């Protein structure tokens, strides 16, 4: 994932925050989106109520790192555990001009309550074999998969070596590599050139540049190339963004880019393409899945209680 400047008081996540969490009962209503942003610091003459709509008071956010790499303007933020916001107690990796969140981790819980949790539902419906993560970021998806599935082997690609550096320093990636030396492999380079011997059992695609999906993902040839990297029965799951994604280039409208990407995928996968929507018409965000839709009851049985919710949300892509 590559990228640019960050606006000072606004943090825009790629996707909305599902109401489902690991400690709350299941909800059957569609998740509602929200946007994380910073409000100005408190002063004696100004009062800011701590509500989700008002964002996070800047006093409750600490900047751990801020620098420009060859590809990105990188910021690592730590959100106070005391603030009244779903991201309380988390660390966030921000890239892009608009400040999109590329990774999130919590100190005392594994699930993130974001689209990374949807990615974590993929391994049970894959054939045996390694899983590729294209757009590794700070390792949010890898951590979930490695800790939830003892047999999983992850190969991750990230374009920016500075992102991997901050992941090791601030997001526990160095420990993850030491804990799973035979199950986690990280490569610096173009994720669209990813490959492993005998192919991937599954591929997770999370590739954004300057706040927008990579333009290459709107090309059916890209998806044909990735399809050929799969083992028999393999699948691809993709963060295709949506209108909630804010690009640096105003011409790269998130919803239009999402639709173009899904149509490109449909040309390769035909009817074997499904979409899970995490938002609403005004501010949607979606995940795509290739392959025949698996038996939903069996899929649910293979997942932890906090992830079963997502299984019923998949719908065929109608174009």
């Amino acid at each position: 994932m590559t990228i640019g400047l960050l606006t000072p008081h606004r943090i825009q996540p790629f996707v909305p925050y599902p109401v489902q969490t690991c400690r709350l009962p299941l909800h059957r209503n569609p998740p509602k989106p929200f946007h994380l942003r910073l409000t100005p610091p408190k002063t004696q003459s100004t009062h800011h109520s701590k509500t989700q709509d008002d964002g996070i008071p800047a006093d409750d956010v600490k900047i751990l790192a801020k620098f420009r790499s060859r590809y990105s303007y990188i910021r690592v933020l730590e959100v106070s555990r005391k603030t009244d916001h779903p991201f309380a107690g988390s660390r966030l990796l921000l890239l892009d001009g608009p400040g999109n969140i590329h990774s999130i981790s919590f100190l005392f819980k594994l699930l993130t309550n974001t689209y990374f949790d949807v990615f974590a539902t993929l391994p049970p419906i894959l054939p045996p074999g390694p899983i590729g993560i294209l757009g590794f970021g700070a390792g949010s998806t890898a951590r979930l998969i490695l800790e939830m599935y003892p047999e999983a082997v992850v190969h991750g690609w990230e374009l920016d070596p500075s992102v991997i550096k901050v992941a090791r320093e601030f997001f526990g990636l160095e420990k993850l590599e030491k804990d799973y030396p035979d199950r986690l492999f990280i490569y610096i380079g173009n994720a669209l050139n990813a490959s492993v011997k005998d192919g991937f059992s599954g591929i997770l695609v999370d590739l954004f540049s300057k706040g927008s999906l990579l333009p290459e993902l709107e090309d059916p040839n890209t998806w044909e190339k990735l399809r050929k990297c799969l083992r028999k029965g393999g699948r691809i799951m993709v963060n295709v963004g949506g209108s909630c994604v804010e690009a640096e280039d105003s011409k790269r409208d998130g919803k239009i880019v999402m639709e173009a990407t899904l149509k490109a995928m449909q040309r390769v996968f035909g009817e074997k393409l499904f979409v899970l929507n995490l938002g609403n018409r005004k501010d949607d965000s979606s995940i795509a899945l290739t392959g025949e839709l698996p038996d939903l009851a069996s899929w649910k049985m293979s997942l932890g209680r906090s992830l079963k919710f997502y299984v019923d949300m998949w719908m065929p892509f109608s174009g």
Side-chain angles (χ1 to χ4, degrees):
M1 303 181 209
T2 57
I3 334 304
L5 291 178
L6 175 70
T7 48
H9 294 305
R10 191 156 179 262
I11 307 172
Q12 178 92 11
F14 282 150
V15 300
Y17 172 83
V19 294
Q20 177 75 13
T21 72
C22 60
R23 296 183 181 179
L24 296 179
L26 294 177
H27 296 268
R28 294 300 176 186
N29 296 322
K32 298 180 180 179
F34 75 97
H35 301 301
L36 175 62
R37 66 187 184 282
L38 301 185
T39 59
K42 298 177 182 179
T43 65
Q44 292 181 349
S45 59
T46 304
H47 174 72
H48 297 278
S49 62
K50 286 189 175 182
T51 68
Q52 180 171 300
D53 291 338
D54 287 339
I56 300 178
D59 289 342
D60 291 337
V61 176
K62 181 180 180 181
I63 299 177
L64 302 181
K66 180 175 68 172
F67 66 96
R68 190 179 299 279
S69 73
R70 175 183 176 185
Y71 299 101
S72 313
Y73 182 64
I74 297 173
R75 287 173 75 175
V76 178
L77 305 186
E78 185 171 77
V79 182
S80 171
R81 294 173 59 195
K82 298 180 180 180
T83 196
D84 184 15
H85 194 280
F87 284 177
S90 70
R91 285 188 176 180
L92 309 172
L93 172 66
L94 274 62
L95 306 175
D96 309 328
N100 293 312
I101 298 175
H102 284 240
S103 289
I104 178 171
S105 67
F106 290 86
L107 184 60
F108 295 110
K109 65 178 182 179
L110 179 61
L111 294 182
T112 67
N113 306 310
T114 68
Y115 71 93
F116 295 117
D117 296 354
V118 182
F119 277 178
T121 67
L122 182 62
I125 57 172
L126 298 177
I131 298 171
I133 298 178
L134 312 189
F136 189 83
S140 296
T141 300
R143 176 175 289 101
L144 285 167
I145 291 175
L146 290 168
E147 297 194 9
M148 294 176 67
Y149 305 102
E151 303 301 320
V153 175
V154 171
H155 294 255
W157 275 260
E158 174 59 45
L159 181 64
D160 192 344
S162 295
V163 169
I164 298 301
K165 181 178 179 181
V166 299
R168 288 172 174 148
E169 183 173 356
F170 297 107
F171 290 87
L173 179 58
E174 186 173 20
K175 182 178 185 302
L176 202 67
E177 290 174 296
K178 291 180 179 178
D179 289 345
Y180 305 110
D182 300 321
R183 297 175 54 205
L184 175 60
F185 305 91
I186 299 173
Y187 310 88
I188 304 298
N190 186 344
L192 295 179
N193 293 328
S195 66
V196 292
K197 184 179 179 180
D198 298 326
F200 297 103
S201 66
I203 299 175
L204 291 156
V205 180
D206 194 9
L207 294 171
F208 286 72
S209 175
K210 299 180 180 178
S212 177
L213 279 169
L214 287 186
E216 291 90 336
L217 301 184
E218 298 172 57
D219 183 353
N221 292 324
T222 297
W223 297 108
E224 180 62 30
K225 179 180 177 181
L226 291 176
R227 186 188 66 80
K228 291 179 179 179
C229 293
L230 291 173
R231 297 185 176 191
K232 184 179 179 180
R235 300 173 182 271
I236 303 175
M237 189 178 283
V238 189
N239 174 13
V240 292
S243 59
C244 72
V245 177
E246 185 176 354
E248 293 179 6
D249 183 354
S250 60
K251 297 178 182 179
R252 297 282 294 171
D253 178 81
K255 186 175 181 63
I256 293 175
V257 171
M258 175 188 72
E259 291 173 348
T261 299
L262 288 170
K263 288 179 180 178
M265 295 182 69
Q266 187 181 45
R267 288 184 60 183
V268 175
F269 299 101
E271 296 180 354
K272 297 180 181 180
L273 180 63
F274 297 84
V275 178
L276 183 155
N277 187 276
L278 287 170
N280 54 38
R281 292 181 181 178
K282 181 180 178 181
D283 204 359
D284 65 348
S285 178
S286 297
I287 309 295
L289 174 67
T290 69
E292 296 280 1
L293 195 65
D295 179 78
L296 300 187
S298 298
W299 194 1
K300 286 181 182 179
M301 288 181 63
S302 67
L303 296 172
R305 182 171 180 268
S306 298
L307 296 178
K308 296 178 187 293
F309 174 76
Y310 296 109
V311 170
D312 292 321
M313 296 173 64
W314 291 101
M315 301 291 292
F317 176 65
S318 60

